[in-house]
Amino acid sequence: MNICVIGTGYVGLVTGAVFAELGNDVICVDSAAEKIDLLNKNKIPFFEPGLEEMVVRNRNEERLSFTTDIARGVRASEIIFICVNTPTLDNGETDLAYIKSAARDIALALNGDKTIVNKSTVPVGTGDLVLETINEHKNEGFNVDVVSNPEFLREGSAIRDALSPDRIIIGASTKKVAFRLMELYATLEAPILITNLYTAEIIKYASNAFLATKISFINSIANLCEQTGADVEDVARGMGYDKRIGRDFLNAGLGFGGSCFPKDVKSLLSTSAGFGYRFDILKHVMETNNGRAAHFLELIKTRFPDLNGKTVAVLGLSFKPDTDDMREAKSIEIIKALLEESVIIQAYDPVAMQRAREMFPDIRYCRNAYEACDGADAMLLVTEWREFRLLNMEKIKNSMKHPIIFDGRNIYDPERKKRLGFEYYCFGRGKWPKSS
Ligand code: UDX
Ligand code: UDX
């Protein structure tokens, strides 16, 4: 099938590459000329494991190409995916300006009947808006169907998630239109749910908001554990054995960041309010999450009431492992607060340092975790990259000024760290020290 994908961000580029891999002819379009230039040189604008190889392979086999010319992409394709960004406005609403402009550009380029598929995460009713915008601008005679087909891929495992999804959701006005899209997914083994547009749009938000709720819930349990001496890791394990609950997304720590959870929870709150419904649980989910970095800093301040001039190693800068994405990363809040206290920061991240430099040009970036910990008064584990679980802790201990770990992701075993001679602090595993 001939496919056009509009927007070559995380979602669009992975979608385009995977559909090409499945044997389709794909044209990816982006309005950012510098991104398209990079892609045409086989360079990926962000880090995502396995993506570069897939893009290069499919470009070489001439199934995948990149352009800024949206009209060319639309004219050559039967199915057009919209994957542009949908940021949050200051009032909490979702900014649909890019979606509308993509719909208008599609309409102006139409040369036949097309199926337009919304993959961007958009509030319920946006499918109608896309159709109205296209109908307003298109020439008579061409028929357009709009489908919602939300994407559930996670950064860092996007290719795997796209090739082996837990489910495929298709929201369409008729079964006939939905079947057109089903053909594209025929080779993937995944349950397919066909439903109406509004339901598909809500499924995406409901899923992300529910996962975010799980995280804030376990973080609230961690707070309680800190008061009582219980261990949140065992609580999560004990809850997770129950198949109705499951262990996934019950990792206590600094909370969620990234381009999706914070944005989607806020958007669902605002959409609900727009319909006159107060979705109060989600307000608390956000409040709990927004308090995590401050809670971590409170713990640090309990140990170091005066941080002025202290040297701190910050391990991990991206919002989660296996990505260089810094959007809503907890590291940002933590580094800002430490800089206000005149802390000397020695940071290390396996791939996100280039992006971090744009935000924090003046902190010291290190070649590895050992260099970051060298001479430090404390180590702050902020993102749980796998390599941080495998460090030679003896070496780290000997190089630090004070062997103190603040583990923002609960990745280490407290007893083991104490046996090795570290002072070790984390979330929800035993009582917190009282401030002096
Ligand atoms: C984005 C949204 O954040 C998410 O909610 C949605 O589900 C999918 O799109 P992501 O792919 O991570 O996710 O966004 P981003 O990396 O910002 O990529 C969007 C791309 O669209 C950018 O490359 C941007 O240049 C491009 N774009 C934006 C256009 O090509 N045209 C536009 O008018 C606007
Ligand atoms: C998420 C959804 O998982 C995905 O389905 C959707 O399409 C896009 O949004 P992503 O943002 O890439 O994916 O990452 P995810 O792995 O879900 O993690 C989000 C955040 O939650 C990260 O900051 C992570 O550190 C945090 N998290 C995750 C926790 O704090 N605890 C957990 O138990 C799990």
Side-chain angles (χ1 to χ4, degrees):
M1 236 181 268
N2 293 315
I3 294 173
C4 170
V5 177
I6 302 174
T8 59
Y10 286 87
V11 173
L13 189 53
V14 172
T15 301
V18 164
F19 280 133
E21 184 80 2
L22 294 175
N24 301 285
D25 286 322
V26 181
I27 300 181
C28 286
V29 182
D30 203 290
S31 56
E34 65 281 5
K35 271 195 187 175
I36 295 299
D37 285 347
L38 278 177
L39 288 161
N40 279 328
K41 289 179 193 143
N42 284 339
K43 295 208 175 87
I44 308 296
F46 50 85
F47 176 82
E48 181 62 41
L51 185 57
E52 186 172 316
E53 295 85 320
M54 192 179 265
V55 166
V56 172
R57 185 165 59 243
N58 284 285
R59 276 195 77 220
N60 289 343
E61 290 174 16
E62 297 183 359
R63 282 196 299 262
L64 181 62
S65 62
F66 298 100
T67 179
T68 52
D69 185 352
I70 191 164
R72 180 158 83 78
V74 170
R75 290 201 187 104
S77 311
E78 304 131 68
I79 300 192
I80 298 147
F81 284 87
I82 301 181
C83 301
V84 296
N85 40 339
T86 48
T88 310
L89 293 166
D90 289 342
N91 63 4
E93 284 175 25
T94 303
D95 184 356
L96 294 173
Y98 300 141
I99 297 270
K100 278 200 243 174
S101 92
R104 198 193 49 234
D105 291 345
I106 293 169
L108 296 175
L110 281 183
N111 59 342
D113 296 349
K114 313 270 172 187
T115 305
I116 316 299
V117 188
N118 222 338
K119 253 200 190 301
S120 295
T121 305
V122 287
V124 58
T126 305
D128 288 348
L129 178 77
V130 169
L131 190 58
E132 279 160 26
T133 311
I134 293 179
N135 283 337
E136 197 184 313
H137 292 96
K138 80 178 170 71
N139 283 329
E140 293 298 318
F142 299 129
N143 184 51
V144 165
D145 292 300
V146 174
V147 179
S148 166
N149 172 220
E151 184 54 71
F152 297 97
L153 54 83
R154 286 163 298 179
E155 291 179 26
S157 57
I159 302 263
R160 198 172 58 234
D161 291 343
L163 284 172
S164 319
D166 285 345
R167 76 299 211 184
I168 292 157
I169 305 293
I170 300 177
S173 53
T174 65
K175 286 236 158 59
K176 192 171 154 223
V177 174
F179 286 154
R180 221 175 287 152
L181 200 62
M182 256 177 86
E183 268 180 56
L184 265 186
Y185 290 107
T187 48
L188 301 184
E189 277 181 33
I192 299 185
L193 176 74
I194 295 180
T195 181
N196 65 34
L197 262 170
Y198 313 114
T199 311
E201 288 168 341
I202 287 192
I203 287 172
K204 173 65 196 257
Y205 277 112
S207 304
N208 274 1
F210 186 77
L211 291 170
T213 304
K214 264 187 116 174
I215 298 170
S216 278
F217 182 87
I218 199 67
N219 283 333
S220 301
I221 294 286
N223 289 347
L224 182 62
C225 290
E226 284 153 20
Q227 301 303 320
T228 58
D231 182 335
V232 71
E233 294 302 311
D234 282 349
V235 174
R237 210 168 296 139
M239 289 169 66
Y241 285 127
D242 187 327
K243 289 192 193 68
R244 294 169 302 173
I245 299 173
R247 174 64 184 82
D248 289 352
F249 281 72
L250 287 181
N251 295 322
L254 280 163
F256 56 82
S259 69
C260 288
F261 283 178
K263 167 174 77 63
D264 293 352
V265 174
K266 277 186 243 165
S267 177
L268 189 52
L269 257 169
S270 141
T271 303
S272 305
F275 283 95
Y277 175 60
R278 281 178 37 189
F279 208 147
D280 284 343
I281 297 176
L282 295 184
K283 229 172 84 201
H284 296 302
V285 167
M286 280 316 291
E287 277 166 15
T288 304
N289 194 58
N290 290 341
R292 295 312 285 167
H295 191 45
F296 193 51
L297 289 158
E298 188 193 327
L299 176 59
I300 298 167
K301 294 276 281 184
T302 310
R303 178 61 183 80
F304 291 104
D306 183 11
L307 278 165
N308 192 325
K310 294 274 183 294
T311 301
V312 162
V314 174
L315 299 194
L317 298 165
S318 55
F319 86 93
K320 64 177 240 182
D322 295 319
T323 178
D324 60 350
D325 197 341
M326 293 279 296
R327 287 179 284 185
E328 305 255 354
K330 293 292 174 179
S331 63
I332 300 173
E333 218 178 317
I334 292 168
I335 291 174
K336 275 189 185 156
L338 293 176
L339 288 177
E340 269 173 30
E341 305 258 355
S342 302
V343 170
I344 299 157
I345 296 174
Q346 304 188 152
Y348 169 69
D349 186 285
V351 299
M353 290 198 287
Q354 202 179 328
R355 296 221 163 169
R357 262 199 190 95
E358 292 160 18
M359 250 176 271
F360 301 110
D362 298 327
I363 64 174
R364 182 172 167 223
Y365 293 93
C366 301
R367 278 171 304 174
N368 51 44
Y370 300 103
E371 197 177 294
C373 291
D374 195 14
D377 291 283
M379 173 223 276
L380 270 48
L381 191 295
V382 176
T383 316
E384 65 279 30
W385 284 88
R386 191 176 134 73
E387 66 176 70
F388 298 150
R389 296 174 196 266
L390 309 170
L391 294 171
N392 178 339
M393 294 312 282
E394 195 66 42
K395 188 170 157 188
I396 297 245
K397 190 186 79 182
N398 293 334
S399 75
M400 289 179 77
K401 194 157 158 203
H402 296 115
I404 303 177
I405 298 175
F406 293 94
D407 181 354
R409 297 290 175 181
N410 282 9
I411 67 168
Y412 296 124
D413 173 359
E415 289 313 315
R416 222 175 112 65
K417 287 290 161 285
K418 281 175 198 156
R419 265 203 313 278
L420 280 167
F422 284 95
E423 239 179 86
Y424 177 78
Y425 302 94
C426 59
F427 288 111
R429 285 192 278 185
K431 281 197 181 184
W432 261 25
K434 295 263 178 282
S435 47
S436 47

